[in-house]
Amino acid sequence: MNNPDPRIYVAGHRGLVGSAIVRALRARGYANIVTRTHDELELTDQAQVRAFFRAERIDQVYLAAAKVGGIHANNTYPAEFIYDNLLVETNVVHEAWRAGVKKLLFLGSSCIYPRLARQPIREDYLMSGELEPTNEPYAIAKIAGIKLCESYNRQYGTDYRSVMPTNLYGPGDNYHPENSHVIPAMIRRFHEAKTQGVPEVVIWGSGKPMREFLYVDDMASASVHVMELAPDVYADITDPMHSHINVGAGVDVSIAELARLVGEVVGYGGRIVFDSSRPDGTPRKLLDVSKLHALGWRASMSLPEGLRRAYAAFVETETAEAAA
């Protein structure tokens, strides 16, 4: 029998995805949400994770904690990206199982798929080709997380599910000038160029790659939707060894068009220049979201509106930090 008021642990609640999941859970009436900051619980430390689950009597887990970053960060810290992410997911999944947690949602990434995968990318394309070299360590860790959940399900009868989001953005994003993803990096760059009167903004790469973007609150809504599905409904549309579900908007845009949109939202009037000497990454990455649609969920936030909200959140954060 399902617990009407489950104790739900959201790992990574201060991050982009985790904070959105907390918002989504509260909006649905879940009140018994358990969180820990990095200082309070080091997820790479198995003993700490074991003690946490032993003490807290958790019913459900949303595993949104991860070491994340853009092309520059992935290229610069490959050992950290594979090591830290493997430790976090291994510790949380294993200790959740040891503590009797039956339901868990693992959040991965669309970078798990082959660099030259057919488009749109279906779930069963996993491990059908070579990965994108610039983020291979992170992708390997996320693939391991999927297989970890599937293996515990097969051996122990748990209900550990996985969702693979496309590129996410929105409130709570990381706007670090070097280690952020493409949208927050562009927002900061265009904002600073506008405020400083810089005549041009240089974007890495040719501008030709196509990318799909999803507003983070849409991602959180989809995550809770998938977690709430009855086990037989989830099982009907997945396979025990291909159990993950793509989460995306179902449409993509070129990096050049994205830059134009961000420039408009920010109000930047200068030139946009593309540096083709910098890496492009994967040529195209559009997820097939037909399974998610069949399960009754579709994205609701348009890219222009999502960018407006993301920029407003960025300005609010910058203003607050300046006043502190």
Side-chain angles (χ1 to χ4, degrees):
M1 186 173 179
N2 289 331
N3 184 347
D5 187 24
R7 283 178 61 76
I8 302 174
Y9 170 47
V10 180
H13 75 286
R14 284 185 166 178
L16 173 67
V17 177
S19 59
I21 287 175
V22 170
R23 290 194 295 271
L25 288 169
R26 287 176 175 159
R28 283 169 169 75
Y30 293 101
N32 210 349
I33 300 171
V34 179
T35 61
R36 291 290 186 276
T37 64
H38 184 270
D39 290 339
E40 293 169 334
L41 176 59
E42 174 53 71
L43 294 178
T44 62
D45 186 319
Q46 185 178 24
Q48 288 191 34
V49 178
R50 180 171 299 176
F52 166 78
F53 277 105
R54 185 178 294 155
E56 291 299 327
R57 300 185 181 278
I58 301 297
D59 297 304
Q60 298 180 17
V61 174
Y62 285 81
L63 181 41
K67 184 177 182 64
V68 299
I71 289 178
H72 176 81
N74 275 272
N75 270 334
T76 306
Y77 311 109
E80 293 179 30
F81 272 85
I82 192 166
Y83 178 79
D84 288 356
N85 284 302
L86 284 173
L87 278 181
V88 167
E89 63 202 30
T90 300
N91 288 342
V92 172
V93 170
H94 184 68
E95 296 307 329
W97 165 73
R98 280 175 56 93
V101 176
K102 295 297 184 182
K103 288 180 67 66
L104 179 146
L105 188 73
F106 172 69
L107 289 97
S109 166
S110 58
C111 74
I112 62 170
Y113 294 112
R115 179 177 186 272
L116 299 177
R118 286 175 291 168
Q119 305 289 318
I121 306 171
R122 294 185 348 205
E123 286 87 351
D124 59 358
Y125 293 171
L126 181 65
M127 297 194 297
S128 63
E130 293 185 0
L131 297 167
E132 163 60 36
T134 57
N135 58 20
E136 182 187 74
Y138 179 73
I140 290 290
K142 289 300 183 180
I143 293 170
I146 298 171
K147 296 304 173 184
L148 194 65
C149 291
E150 291 175 351
S151 298
Y152 277 67
N153 290 342
R154 290 165 58 206
Q155 185 168 346
Y156 300 123
T158 50
D159 185 6
Y160 293 176
R161 307 176 184 185
S162 300
V163 287
M164 297 300 116
T166 189
N167 301 290
L168 303 174
Y169 71 100
D173 217 333
N174 169 26
Y175 293 93
H176 189 280
E178 292 183 345
N179 297 337
S180 58
H181 287 108
V182 59
I183 284 182
M186 283 189 183
I187 286 176
R188 172 173 287 280
R189 199 170 302 169
F190 279 109
H191 176 78
E192 291 178 347
K194 182 184 76 169
T195 57
Q196 297 168 14
V198 177
E200 69 177 31
V201 169
V202 178
I203 304 296
W204 275 28
S206 67
K208 295 178 181 178
M210 302 292 292
R211 291 290 183 272
E212 178 185 18
F213 297 97
L214 185 69
Y215 192 67
V216 70
D217 286 282
D218 270 349
M219 171 60 199
S221 169
S223 297
V224 178
H225 181 85
V226 169
M227 188 68 137
E228 290 179 337
L229 292 170
D232 59 334
V233 174
Y234 189 81
D236 282 347
I237 207 163
T238 60
D239 180 90
M241 297 187 71
H242 277 99
S243 67
H244 62 286
I245 293 178
N246 290 338
V247 179
V251 294
D252 56 2
V253 63
S254 72
I255 294 298
E257 176 63 12
L258 175 67
R260 186 189 66 78
L261 286 170
V262 173
E264 286 184 357
V265 166
V266 173
Y268 176 71
R271 296 186 303 275
I272 301 174
V273 178
F274 295 92
D275 182 359
S276 296
S277 70
R278 300 291 189 170
D280 269 340
T282 305
R284 192 184 188 200
K285 195 164 61 174
L286 175 66
L287 295 182
D288 182 321
V289 289
S290 56
K291 282 189 177 181
L292 189 59
H293 289 174
L295 291 169
W297 188 92
R298 289 176 181 268
S300 61
M301 183 69 68
S302 70
L303 183 57
E305 177 59 25
L307 290 174
R308 283 190 285 273
R309 296 190 184 192
Y311 181 55
F314 168 78
V315 171
E316 182 180 346
T317 300
E318 290 287 291
T319 302
E321 290 178 355

